[in-house]
Amino acid sequence: MTFETQKRRRKRAAIDWDTVMACMDLKGYVILGDVFRKKQLQDMHDLAREKTAGEPSTQGRMQLPITDQVVDSGIVDNPDLLRVVEGLLGDSCTLRTIRVDTGKQEHSDEIVMDSTSLFPEATQTHLPCYRLHVTIPLASLKVNQNWLEIWPGSHAHQPHYFRKYGMDCMQRLAERLPTEAVNVPFGSVLIRDSRLWYRDPHAVPRMNLELTYQRWWDITGEQQIIAESLYRQMTPRLQRLLYMEKVVEEGMYVHEVDGR
């Protein structure tokens, strides 16, 4: 065992996981520091840059195909990351999207959230967390460049607010609620509830990896395509994370297997 591996294991053992999970419950997000090695992130950065090169129509976001580089990176099934994800979504959760965000979207002051109520008829019901978004910087930026403005605790707001006051009530309420500026350093990871309110005040070039984990019963989202030979080589844990996706034989094209 290398010295670096020993040091990382000691840091993991020192994490107060009860506090981490309490932050997720109360604030709707948490940042885990020193999760990934520089070599892991550099390899993924090179892959992301290769896939996004010459793709101006992606609006700054592009879904990465599931390749051996993605599988071998050790990022999507990192034990620290999955400890939080599984703690909130259960060990039967799934990984539904792997995207690259280059920050090329037009700047907007609009406050957004990444999901709406799955059951709009149950407007008074508070659902448990069912979807998590994970942001992993793949390159270092200046401190004031790679951060979000987040409304802590907004993930717990009941959906009936929007039915009663209209969708623009988010903007009106946000003006009267406290916010936090959240910086995600290189090597760290931001995990947030998909219902959390946020905005990106700095539309600057960047290279982030964006992952979406969902409960097993949340089947929303398009299927990813995985080569059968690659799927067979995956660990059982990674296979369970991707069991909702479309496993195809070698040589089949995406348009031949599109849909469920």
Side-chain angles (χ1 to χ4, degrees):
M1 184 186 301
T2 65
F3 175 74
E4 180 182 1
T5 301
Q6 292 176 340
K7 183 171 64 174
R8 295 180 71 84
R9 286 190 176 181
R10 285 196 297 269
K11 285 186 176 182
R12 183 179 299 131
I15 296 175
D16 183 351
W17 290 106
D18 288 339
T19 300
V20 169
M21 300 308 295
C23 282
M24 286 299 307
D25 285 338
L26 295 174
K27 302 180 70 173
Y29 78 94
V30 71
I31 296 176
L32 299 181
D34 193 29
V35 176
F36 301 108
R37 300 188 304 275
K38 183 178 180 179
K39 180 66 165 56
Q40 285 178 291
L41 300 176
Q42 184 61 54
D43 290 346
M44 188 62 72
H45 178 275
D46 294 343
L47 173 64
R49 186 171 54 184
E50 173 189 341
K51 296 298 182 182
T52 56
E55 295 287 345
S57 62
T58 62
Q59 297 285 318
R61 282 190 172 183
M62 180 179 180
Q63 184 153 329
L64 283 183
I66 299 178
T67 62
D68 52 355
Q69 296 102 310
V70 172
V71 170
D72 295 339
S73 69
I75 290 180
V76 299
D77 56 347
N78 174 273
D80 289 345
L81 171 60
L82 287 185
R83 183 158 186 172
V84 178
V85 170
E86 291 178 347
L88 288 163
L89 304 181
D91 59 9
S92 59
C93 63
T94 59
L95 170 63
R96 298 309 317 277
T97 60
I98 304 173
R99 288 195 180 96
V100 175
D101 177 10
T102 59
K104 295 179 181 178
Q105 304 95 321
E106 292 185 4
H107 173 68
S108 173
D109 287 328
E110 184 180 5
I111 300 153
V112 297
M113 60 180 175
D114 289 328
S115 69
T116 56
S117 176
L118 289 178
F119 308 104
E121 65 276 11
T123 56
Q124 303 286 345
T125 302
H126 177 65
L127 293 176
C129 178
Y130 56 86
R131 190 179 307 156
L132 290 171
H133 288 283
V134 175
T135 299
I136 304 169
L138 298 180
S140 298
L141 292 177
K142 294 180 180 179
V143 173
N144 65 342
Q145 283 188 323
N146 194 20
W147 61 276
L148 297 176
E149 185 179 9
I150 283 178
W151 276 256
S154 55
H155 65 299
H157 286 252
Q158 302 295 344
H160 73 268
Y161 289 168
F162 307 120
R163 295 289 292 272
K164 185 175 182 179
Y165 301 110
M167 285 303 297
D168 62 340
C169 76
M170 182 190 299
Q171 315 301 319
R172 298 197 304 271
L173 286 173
E175 295 176 357
R176 295 167 171 82
L177 296 174
T179 67
E180 293 183 3
V182 177
N183 179 49
V184 189
F186 185 67
S188 301
V189 54
L190 167 65
I191 307 173
R192 58 185 172 86
D193 192 304
S194 66
R195 299 166 296 180
L196 198 69
W197 302 1
Y198 72 95
R199 66 180 164 194
D200 184 355
H202 296 290
V204 297
R206 55 177 175 255
M207 186 68 78
N208 291 341
L209 191 65
E210 304 282 349
L211 311 175
T212 304
Y213 297 85
Q214 299 174 189
R215 285 189 184 269
W216 65 270
W217 48 259
D218 181 1
I219 62 173
T220 55
E222 297 180 0
Q223 283 184 304
Q224 304 170 91
I225 307 302
I226 308 175
E228 183 178 14
S229 59
L230 177 60
Y231 189 78
R232 289 179 176 177
Q233 297 173 13
M234 295 179 184
T235 64
R237 182 68 196 95
L238 196 51
Q239 287 180 345
R240 292 201 306 275
L241 280 173
L242 296 168
Y243 85 95
M244 290 287 293
E245 311 314 318
K246 193 74 174 181
V247 180
V248 304
E249 298 178 1
E250 296 290 343
M252 293 187 68
Y253 292 97
V254 171
H255 71 268
E256 293 177 336
V257 295
D258 192 26
R260 295 193 178 279

